[in-house]
Amino acid sequence: MSAEMVNGLLNTEVIHSNKIPVEHLDYDYIEKCTDLGYLEKILKVLGSGEEGIFPHLIEFCEKHVEKLNPKSRALRKDKPPTSPASLPKDEWSQISDELKSWEIEMSVGEKQLKQFPLFSDDENVPPIRGSNCSVQRTSASGVKQIKNKAPVPREYKDWDKFDIEKECAKVDGVVTNNAAPTIINRGLPKVLRKLQTSALTEQEIMVLANREKDKGNEAFKTSDFEEAVAYYTRSLSVLPTVAAYNNRAQAEIKLQNWHRALSDCQKVLEMEPGNAKGLLRRATVQKHLGNLQMATDDVNAVLHIEPHNEIAKKLLNELNKKMTERAPEKPAKGKTILIEEIEDEEEEEEACARTDGAVESSSQQRVGGESCAAAAAGEERADMGNAQKKPHGRGDGGGARGKGGSADKYTVTPPGQEGGKQRPAGRGLANGNSTAHQGESASRETGEQSKVNLDAPAGNLPPPLARLKNEGNHLFKNGQFGDAIEKYSLAIDGYTESGIDSPEDLCILYSNRAACYLKDGNSADCITDCTKSLELQPFSLKPLLRRAMAYDSLERYRKAYVDYKTVLQIDISTQAAHDSVNRITRVLIEQDGPSWRENLPEIPLVPLSAQQHRREEPLSAEAAQARAERAVQDAARKAEARFTACKTDGNEFVKKGRYEDAVGKYSECVKLRSNECTVFTNRALCYVKLERFAEAKQDCDLALALEPENKKAFYRRALANKGLKDYLACSTDLQEVLRLDPSVQEAEKELQEVTELLRQSLATASPGKPRRSVPITEVDDTEESASKGEQDSTTGQDHADQSKPSAITEPANAYEFGQAISAARSHDDTEACAKLLHLVAPETLPSYISNHLDGHTIAFIMQALDGHLLETDPGLVYQHLNHLHTAERFSVVLMLLDKEERRQMTQLFEHLSAVESEDFNKNDVQNLANKYI
């Protein structure tokens, strides 16, 4: 028989079956198909949306059906219901008039019926509709008149209706059930599980939620659990409550939907942690899922809340009995060793999404297992289920696994130490009195086929079932997936017949067979086996990942998305799940638009216990310390590289005259390293060029705090003070530059210019007021000595009077205040400073001193306040201190104070707190001191 004939027979068999394969939902197949009935089935499947929504494919199929039969019923489409807008005005008026007349007739008839008595005098009152009895009337004397249930036939036509067998049965005392059989209507429309409540008030929402919950309770009482779940879901969509979640969990338990029931119990306990019903129902679910210890913990919690709960006591007895039966026997003493198979290596598969037979994308990361060639097609296989394992090598190197089997499949570990490090098994003994098996691993270089111990124990499975499982594993590794499916199926059937209780082993069997189905492209059976595996072991990583890939291959993207997201809750390092989630998200956005999340099934919440066993083992103290040191070194190295790059870029910008960009780069350098003096001086230069003199002065102050004798910082601060027109401070900084390096010609030129500017400013400062004598300190030592006290024999007294500040008057602006306080500082005259502060209003002090603020000025003001004003006017001292800290750049200057200046400040606040005044108290002084000290 030729291949074409075989394909024709297979297609004929598929066409006459009820199920439409996914492969037939294709343009080429639809175009070549000439069976009208089968094309109508395909069109029905496409229109239902079960396999997805494909508008272009539906249109193409409709056109092909129309070519074969233009009058096909499959082409008929439902028309929308008629509305007033779709009818002519006259026709709609006629319909509305007829409805109104019918309503009037019905209301009139109802009123007439209410006027008649309930019972007439006629004794032959007809029975109530739908019942088998008549109304019993009561006579005037109060005695009930019992009517005969069946009148005696009097006419021949009545004898034809007479049931002889029924009357004989009554005579013989046999009671027959006349009730009509219950009719179960399976054709009811599906109940919508989500209600729209956007237009309802809060009270209406509560009423609607309770009403839907009551409907669910009624359905639960009639054992219609599916309908109960639907109504409970409707109630939860309106208003999530603990009672609705509890009731739905119980209904899901009745339907044996263990995972959904577990999810509902988890939500109950999240909303109300001590809910006894939620704990008890979760314990029931855990018992059926085989998690006996978790179920026992929940039951004990219930008994702690309700000690007399009989249901909990009964369930606890059942759990204790099962745990006793399942308890493993203690290993015999001696040098018995166990040959244990590595399950993670047996369950290998691809980590790529379905791409119509394409090879896995290079962007996806292989995250575990080994790769081997398939038996016939040479298909490259990457591990799918072992996403958390480290990949092994492949090739001709020693220890790699070839096509013939695995040389390092089993590990020899002592009993009770199954988690030890894997190593190849040479010779080993099985537990008990089993025969010893020997297996020698042959190297890949010699080309000998490695031997596999097929009789090795596999969990709690009996030896025959363990051998079937090992044979299936061996066939799977060799790419013989069909033969492996047969072995796993025999093992599963044998497990059911043997009556053993080991859900872990049965879970692995289903999972392994699902892997084979996935390799063969049988996604439907793969999904079935993965679901069974997850019912036995909830939140198992490999079945979830395999089922997600099977859904993905069938283009059931919503279910695949849910499984992938659950996988990431268990192990966030699964790269295959990350890649698939990103890809499916784009597909769903294209299909459903921005509201694609609303169409997704509910994603289950993975408990913490299921997440912890996937995490890495905690690091030792030495390893953690080494990792922390490496992290610190890496961070320091990156910061150093970034600092160097930013500084270099800033220097380049300065050379090009792009000072604003240079400021940005130097600011980044300051964030990376705040103790580098060069950065502050460079940024100060940029601020000077940009005429931002206050910021330039601040940067120079910070640089001098780091390097007190940095001549660049003094020179650039002098330029900043010159821009601020504080010529006295500028002259002081330039003199400091020349003291550090007398060869700086720029400083000499600037000093001459600033000295001249200072003399001019003093001459034109305030012509309407008496002229003040302000001493100007020159560079020459002889001139300094002369200014300090040398007097001429003839004019000595006059010269001494001119060297002191003139009479203190109230300053009119910040400039006059600065000149006065600078003169007082030059003569160290704290009394003059105190008089000046007495004349200045406290609220204007911050604005007056902002351009002259530095550490020496603050210390000088503190001395004046403590030595002169505190005794005469302590309230004024408190007011000045209360406003002084609000001056601009005060916090920066405060950090630059030396130890002696801080001591003077502390002494001032101690003296101030000792003074008793109505303007302040000790708490006020303490709060104010916190802003200074």
Side-chain angles (χ1 to χ4, degrees):
M1 184 179 294
S2 64
E4 296 180 356
M5 295 177 65
V6 173
N7 292 333
L9 291 175
L10 291 175
N11 290 335
T12 303
E13 182 180 354
V14 169
I15 289 173
H16 291 289
S17 63
N18 293 326
K19 188 176 180 181
I20 305 297
V22 180
E23 293 79 9
H24 291 178
L25 305 179
D26 184 70
Y27 288 94
D28 294 335
Y29 183 86
I30 294 174
E31 185 178 8
K32 295 176 182 179
C33 183
T34 58
D35 190 335
L36 179 62
Y38 191 65
L39 284 173
E40 290 177 347
K41 291 182 180 180
I42 292 177
L43 185 58
K44 183 178 180 182
V45 171
L46 290 173
S48 65
E50 295 177 357
E51 301 295 339
I53 300 175
F54 309 95
H56 297 291
L57 184 60
I58 294 173
E59 183 180 359
F60 181 79
C61 187
E62 288 177 348
K63 291 181 179 179
H64 194 55
V65 171
E66 186 177 4
K67 290 179 182 178
L68 298 176
N69 184 10
K71 298 182 180 181
S72 174
R73 296 178 61 88
L75 299 175
R76 297 180 182 178
K77 296 182 180 179
D78 296 332
K79 293 183 178 180
T82 304
S83 62
S86 61
L87 294 175
K89 186 176 181 180
D90 297 336
E91 186 176 352
W92 175 249
S93 300
Q94 182 181 357
I95 294 174
S96 59
D97 293 339
E98 291 178 357
L99 288 173
K100 289 179 181 179
S101 61
W102 175 83
E103 185 178 2
I104 294 172
E105 291 177 1
M106 294 300 296
S107 60
V108 171
E110 185 177 3
K111 290 180 181 179
Q112 292 177 355
L113 289 174
K114 290 181 179 179
Q115 294 176 359
F116 289 104
L118 181 62
F119 301 110
S120 63
D121 295 336
D122 187 7
E123 293 183 358
N124 296 325
V125 178
I128 299 173
R129 183 175 59 185
S131 66
N132 295 325
C133 61
S134 300
V135 178
Q136 297 180 357
R137 299 186 58 208
T138 305
S139 63
S141 60
V143 180
K144 292 182 179 180
Q145 299 178 359
I146 302 175
K147 183 182 177 182
N148 294 332
K149 293 184 180 180
V152 178
R154 297 177 182 179
E155 297 180 4
Y156 288 103
K157 62 181 180 179
D158 293 330
W159 284 107
D160 295 335
K161 301 178 182 179
F162 187 76
D163 190 354
I164 300 175
E165 297 296 331
K166 182 177 178 181
E167 296 298 324
C168 291
K170 290 181 180 179
V171 173
D172 295 337
V174 179
V175 180
T176 59
N177 186 10
N178 296 327
T182 303
I183 299 175
I184 301 176
N185 187 2
R186 297 296 184 185
L188 292 175
K190 187 177 180 181
V191 179
L192 295 177
R193 301 197 173 200
K194 189 173 182 181
L195 300 177
Q196 296 294 335
T197 60
S198 57
L200 301 181
T201 63
E202 184 176 355
Q203 186 66 25
E204 291 172 341
I205 288 174
M206 294 178 63
V207 172
L208 181 59
N210 291 329
R211 184 183 301 167
E212 297 298 327
K213 187 187 69 174
D214 294 339
K215 292 179 182 179
N217 295 341
E218 294 175 1
F220 188 92
K221 291 177 183 178
T222 59
S223 298
D224 193 349
F225 303 118
E226 292 183 356
E227 187 175 349
V229 169
Y231 282 114
Y232 290 141
T233 306
R234 287 162 64 91
S235 176
L236 291 170
S237 69
V238 176
L239 181 65
T241 59
V242 173
Y245 275 122
N246 253 330
N247 293 359
R248 191 172 71 173
Q250 185 63 24
E252 297 286 10
I253 289 173
K254 293 292 185 181
L255 295 171
Q256 298 184 358
N257 295 332
W258 308 118
H259 297 298
R260 296 178 183 174
L262 182 61
S263 177
D264 285 346
C265 294
Q266 295 285 4
K267 290 178 180 176
V268 169
L269 296 174
E270 287 177 3
M271 298 172 68
E272 189 177 326
N275 189 280
K277 288 184 178 180
L279 289 168
L280 189 59
R281 287 166 187 172
R282 188 172 70 174
T284 304
V285 173
Q286 298 288 13
K287 184 191 78 170
H288 285 87
L289 293 176
N291 303 324
L292 302 182
Q293 185 59 47
M294 298 174 69
T296 304
D297 295 340
D298 286 342
V299 175
N300 289 330
V302 173
L303 292 175
H304 180 73
I305 300 171
E306 300 178 359
H308 302 291
N309 193 319
E310 297 297 332
I311 299 176
K313 291 180 181 180
K314 183 179 178 181
L315 182 58
L316 182 61
N317 293 334
E318 295 177 4
L319 291 170
N320 291 334
K321 185 177 179 182
K322 283 193 173 185
M323 292 178 69
T324 304
E325 295 174 354
R326 188 184 291 187
E329 298 180 358
K330 295 182 179 180
K333 297 181 179 179
K335 296 183 179 180
T336 304
I337 56 178
L338 172 65
I339 302 177
E340 182 188 8
E341 61 185 305
I342 303 302
E343 296 294 344
D344 290 333
E345 292 186 4
E346 296 167 7
E347 302 175 14
E348 298 178 342
E349 49 196 54
E350 297 173 320
C352 64
R354 183 204 60 77
T355 54
D356 295 334
V359 183
E360 172 183 301
S361 174
S362 60
S363 62
Q364 287 190 345
Q365 176 185 1
R366 296 195 177 188
V367 286
E370 298 178 351
S371 301
C372 62
E379 176 187 5
E380 184 181 17
R381 303 193 290 105
D383 63 324
M384 176 198 69
N386 304 323
Q388 70 278 16
K389 301 299 178 183
K390 183 179 179 182
H392 300 283
R394 181 186 177 187
D396 298 332
R401 188 172 57 210
K403 185 175 180 180
S406 174
D408 54 353
K409 179 177 177 181
Y410 304 102
T411 58
V412 182
T413 56
Q417 299 181 7
E418 292 83 1
K421 186 178 179 182
Q422 177 182 352
R423 60 181 184 270
R427 301 172 60 186
L429 299 175
N431 287 336
N433 299 324
S434 301
T435 307
H437 302 282
Q438 300 180 356
E440 181 179 359
S441 299
S443 64
R444 297 287 296 270
E445 289 83 357
T446 59
E448 298 180 2
Q449 185 178 12
S450 59
K451 298 180 181 180
V452 179
N453 185 3
L454 298 177
D455 293 325
N460 296 325
L461 293 177
L465 300 183
R467 182 176 180 83
L468 288 172
K469 179 183 175 184
N470 293 334
E471 290 176 353
N473 296 339
H474 183 62
L475 293 170
F476 178 86
K477 292 174 184 177
N478 292 335
Q480 302 174 7
F481 306 121
D483 296 336
I485 290 173
E486 294 181 2
K487 297 296 182 181
Y488 290 135
S489 300
L490 291 174
I492 292 171
D493 296 339
Y495 177 93
T496 306
E497 296 173 359
S498 63
I500 61 175
D501 186 12
S502 179
E504 295 86 356
D505 295 316
L506 185 57
C507 172
I508 294 174
L509 289 174
Y510 276 122
S511 181
N512 290 2
R513 190 171 70 174
C516 298
Y517 282 136
L518 190 62
K519 292 288 185 180
D520 272 351
N522 190 351
S523 300
D525 288 339
C526 174
I527 292 171
T528 302
D529 277 1
C530 289
T531 303
K532 292 178 181 178
S533 179
L534 290 170
E535 290 177 356
L536 296 167
Q537 292 291 320
F539 305 115
S540 183
L541 182 65
K542 295 177 185 177
L544 270 172
L545 194 53
R546 288 166 183 163
R547 189 172 69 176
M549 290 186 174
Y551 280 135
D552 199 355
S553 66
L554 295 176
E555 297 183 1
R556 299 179 183 178
Y557 296 120
R558 296 183 181 89
K559 294 183 178 180
Y561 181 89
V562 171
D563 281 349
Y564 280 131
K565 294 295 284 185
T566 309
V567 166
L568 292 177
Q569 290 185 62
I570 299 172
D571 186 0
I572 199 171
S573 64
T574 309
Q575 186 62 35
H578 280 292
D579 297 338
S580 299
V581 165
N582 294 334
R583 176 176 48 80
I584 292 175
T585 300
R586 292 193 294 269
V587 174
L588 293 177
I589 290 175
E590 292 176 0
Q591 289 184 359
D592 303 336
S595 61
W596 64 277
R597 293 183 184 275
E598 299 178 1
N599 299 328
L600 290 175
E602 188 175 2
I603 300 176
L605 181 64
V606 178
L608 185 61
S609 58
Q611 299 176 23
Q612 288 177 343
H613 77 282
R614 294 293 176 184
R615 294 177 180 173
E616 296 180 356
E617 294 294 330
L619 297 175
S620 61
E622 294 79 4
Q625 183 178 1
R627 177 178 291 183
E629 292 176 355
R630 286 196 301 271
V632 171
Q633 294 174 0
D634 292 342
R637 185 170 60 256
K638 292 178 181 178
E640 180 66 25
R642 179 63 181 165
F643 175 83
T644 304
C646 290
K647 185 177 178 181
T648 303
D649 294 342
N651 296 339
E652 293 295 328
F653 287 141
V654 170
K655 293 177 182 178
K656 298 176 182 178
R658 298 167 58 183
Y659 300 112
E660 194 70 43
D661 296 334
V663 167
K665 292 297 180 180
Y666 290 138
S667 299
E668 291 185 24
C669 292
V670 170
K671 293 178 182 179
L672 295 171
R673 190 189 299 175
S674 59
N675 57 350
E676 186 72 19
C677 180
T678 309
V679 178
F680 289 111
T681 56
N682 290 357
R683 191 170 67 173
L685 174 62
C686 297
Y687 283 141
V688 170
K689 295 294 185 180
L690 295 171
E691 298 183 357
R692 295 161 62 177
F693 301 114
E695 296 172 349
K697 183 179 178 182
Q698 182 177 352
D699 274 359
C700 292
D701 291 337
L702 294 173
L704 290 171
L706 297 171
E707 293 184 11
E709 295 188 352
N710 189 295
K711 60 183 180 181
K712 286 186 178 181
F714 278 117
Y715 182 75
R716 288 168 186 172
R717 189 171 70 174
L719 297 178
N721 286 325
K722 181 181 177 183
L724 294 172
K725 298 183 179 181
D726 188 357
Y727 303 123
L728 182 60
C730 176
S731 175
T732 303
D733 287 338
L734 291 173
Q735 293 177 34
E736 192 67 25
V737 172
L738 292 173
R739 183 186 68 82
L740 295 171
D741 188 359
S743 64
V744 180
Q745 298 180 0
E746 294 84 354
E748 293 181 358
K749 294 180 181 180
E750 287 290 338
L751 182 59
Q752 294 176 3
E753 183 179 351
V754 168
T755 303
E756 184 64 26
L757 290 173
L758 182 59
R759 289 172 179 170
Q760 294 177 4
S761 64
L762 292 176
T764 60
S766 54
K769 294 186 178 182
R771 184 176 177 180
R772 298 173 184 170
S773 175
V774 179
I776 301 176
T777 305
E778 299 293 342
V779 177
D780 192 359
D781 293 338
T782 59
E783 294 179 1
E784 287 184 354
S785 61
S787 65
K788 288 183 179 178
E790 292 184 1
Q791 300 177 359
D792 188 67
S793 58
T794 58
T795 60
Q797 186 64 36
D798 295 338
H799 181 78
D801 293 339
Q802 291 177 2
S803 65
K804 294 183 181 180
S806 60
I808 301 299
T809 59
E810 182 179 357
N813 50 43
Y815 176 78
E816 293 182 6
F817 177 85
Q819 295 297 325
I821 199 169
S822 298
R825 272 189 58 196
S826 64
H827 291 81
D828 197 15
D829 191 354
T830 56
E831 183 178 1
C833 180
K835 291 180 181 179
L836 179 64
L837 294 174
H838 189 272
L839 296 174
V840 174
E843 57 270 16
T844 62
L845 180 61
S847 61
Y848 280 179
I849 204 173
S850 59
N851 292 335
H852 310 278
L853 191 63
D854 56 18
H856 300 300
T857 303
I858 290 180
F860 185 68
I861 290 175
M862 295 296 171
Q863 292 179 10
L865 293 175
D866 191 16
H868 301 280
L869 281 182
L870 184 60
E871 294 181 359
T872 59
D873 195 353
L876 182 61
V877 174
Y878 178 81
Q879 292 297 326
H880 274 308
L881 293 174
N882 196 25
H883 289 85
L884 179 60
H885 68 87
T886 62
E888 207 174 343
R889 305 189 311 277
F890 178 82
S891 58
V892 177
V893 176
L894 194 63
M895 294 188 297
L896 302 177
L897 296 178
D898 58 18
K899 185 177 180 180
E900 180 62 21
E901 292 169 346
R902 290 184 180 276
R903 187 191 64 78
Q904 293 177 0
M905 187 180 295
T906 304
Q907 183 179 353
L908 170 61
F909 280 101
E910 290 177 354
H911 294 166
L912 186 63
S913 62
V915 176
E916 294 183 0
S917 175
E918 297 178 358
D919 300 332
F920 58 89
N921 52 35
K922 290 185 178 180
N923 291 333
D924 296 335
V925 175
Q926 183 62 38
N927 294 334
L928 185 59
N930 293 333
K931 299 176 181 178
Y932 286 81
I933 303 173

